């Protein structure tokens, strides 16, 4: 277990990425509960990697959601629905993770969905350099459908109540505290409990970052 500054933690993660040697782009998962801080960490890691001269493809699970009409067959607050019905893993593998993986042609699309307009997208196909790094953040990234697609796996861990408080602060301009807490306590937190029980993501993580105090993170490397 290591304690240090934010910059020290990011430097260690960049070193971990640099230690991965592949004939294709290195695919990095930044997994964790909603409001754990994984998007911020992934953004920061991408900056550090670019400063080190790496080409970075930055993408997120939020751009691989099913359209809203298909996303809630069990209701808006269903934890099982959050875990099983929300994300288009087939498209994620097909247009991004497999093209950047072994035997892939490195021709990829970084998104298939626009949450602002709730529309399916088909953006132009891009080509990644062989030595690029995909930094991908999101929930449930170490479930069976995705597990073998990652070359480095980071899990961002935060106490459940901390994520609730962060979500309330983040969404206070658009939702009441009661609405945010209901979504978290009925949908998001129970769906994470399902994920932890079924997929055991920390067993598969190369690095676990404890992010309760972002300015003073604690991290540990795991041997798989």
């Amino acid at each position: 277990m290591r304690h240090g500054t934010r910059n020290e933690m990011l430097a260690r993660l960049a070193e971990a990425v640099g230690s991965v040697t592949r004939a294709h782009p290195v695919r990095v998962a930044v997994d964790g509960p909603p409001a754990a801080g994984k998007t911020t960490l992934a953004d920061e890691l991408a900056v550090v990697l670019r400063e080190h001269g790496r080409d970075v493809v930055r993408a997120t699970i939020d751009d691989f959601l099913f359209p809203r009409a298909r996303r809630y067959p069990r209701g808006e607050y269903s934890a099982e629905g959050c875990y099983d019905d929300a994300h288009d893993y087939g498209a994620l593998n097909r247009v991004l993770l497999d093209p950047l993986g072994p035997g892939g042609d490195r021709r990829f699309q970084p998104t298939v969905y626009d949450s602002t307009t709730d529309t399916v997208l088909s953006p132009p196909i891009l080509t990644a350099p062989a030595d690029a790094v995909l930094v991908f953040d999101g929930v449930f990234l170490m479930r069976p459908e995705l597990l073998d697609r990652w070359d480095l796996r980071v899990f961002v861990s935060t106490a459940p109540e901390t994520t609730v408080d962060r979500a309330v602060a983040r969404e206070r301009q658009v939702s009441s505290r009661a609405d945010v807490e209901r979504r978290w306590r009925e949908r998001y937190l129970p769906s994470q409990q399902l994920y932890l029980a079924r997929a055991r993501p920390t067993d598969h993580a190369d690095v676990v970052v404890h992010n309760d105090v972002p300015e003073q993170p604690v991290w540990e490397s795991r041997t798989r």
Side-chain angles (χ1 to χ4, degrees):
M1 196 86 71
R2 297 289 302 273
H3 300 249
T5 67
R6 188 81 179 173
N7 287 340
E8 288 171 337
M9 180 268 293
L10 290 167
R12 293 292 186 180
L13 288 179
E15 288 177 8
V17 173
S19 71
V20 179
T21 302
R22 296 288 187 273
H24 56 80
V26 175
R27 300 162 299 173
V28 180
V30 182
D31 190 10
K38 56 193 179 300
T39 300
T40 298
L41 188 153
D43 286 341
E44 293 171 337
L45 178 59
V47 169
V48 173
L49 292 171
R50 288 177 178 132
E51 289 173 347
H52 291 177
R54 299 296 293 268
D55 285 291
V56 176
V57 176
R58 183 69 183 88
T60 177
I61 197 67
D62 291 342
D63 293 335
F64 289 87
L65 289 165
F66 283 118
R68 185 174 181 84
R70 182 174 174 181
R71 208 156 66 229
Y72 298 105
R74 311 181 211 212
E76 185 175 354
Y77 297 100
S78 169
E80 292 83 0
C82 183
Y83 186 65
D84 288 325
D85 304 326
H87 303 102
D88 191 346
Y89 301 116
L92 173 57
N93 284 327
R94 184 176 65 253
V95 307
L96 184 61
L97 298 184
D98 288 347
L100 298 184
D105 60 8
R106 294 184 277 112
R107 290 165 49 80
F108 71 95
Q109 292 171 296
T111 177
V112 297
Y113 174 75
D114 183 344
S115 60
T116 303
T117 59
D118 189 33
T119 55
V120 175
L121 301 177
S122 183
I125 294 174
L126 306 173
T127 302
D131 62 349
V133 179
L134 169 65
V135 179
F136 191 93
D137 77 276
V139 294
F140 312 141
L141 298 188
M142 295 183 221
R143 58 189 296 155
E145 299 92 328
L146 304 178
L147 186 58
D148 65 352
R149 264 65 174 200
W150 307 115
D151 304 299
L152 187 75
R153 302 163 187 161
V154 179
F155 189 84
V156 183
S157 174
T158 309
E161 287 303 315
T162 299
T163 70
V164 176
D165 292 340
R166 289 177 183 173
V168 169
R170 185 175 67 189
E171 300 181 29
R172 62 176 174 264
Q173 301 299 325
V174 295
S175 299
S176 69
R177 183 181 187 98
D179 287 342
V180 175
E181 287 208 10
R182 183 182 180 191
R183 283 200 305 276
W184 243 253
R185 299 192 188 284
E186 294 186 25
R187 182 174 174 88
Y188 295 136
L189 295 185
S191 71
Q192 284 295 312
Q193 292 171 350
L194 284 175
Y195 176 49
L196 293 173
R198 295 180 185 178
R200 303 180 66 88
T202 56
D203 289 353
H204 303 291
D206 298 290
V207 181
V208 176
V209 176
H210 302 276
N211 200 44
D212 292 284
V213 183
E215 299 79 14
Q216 298 177 311
V218 178
W219 64 95
E220 54 185 313
S221 297
R222 300 289 184 89
T223 301
R224 290 191 284 114

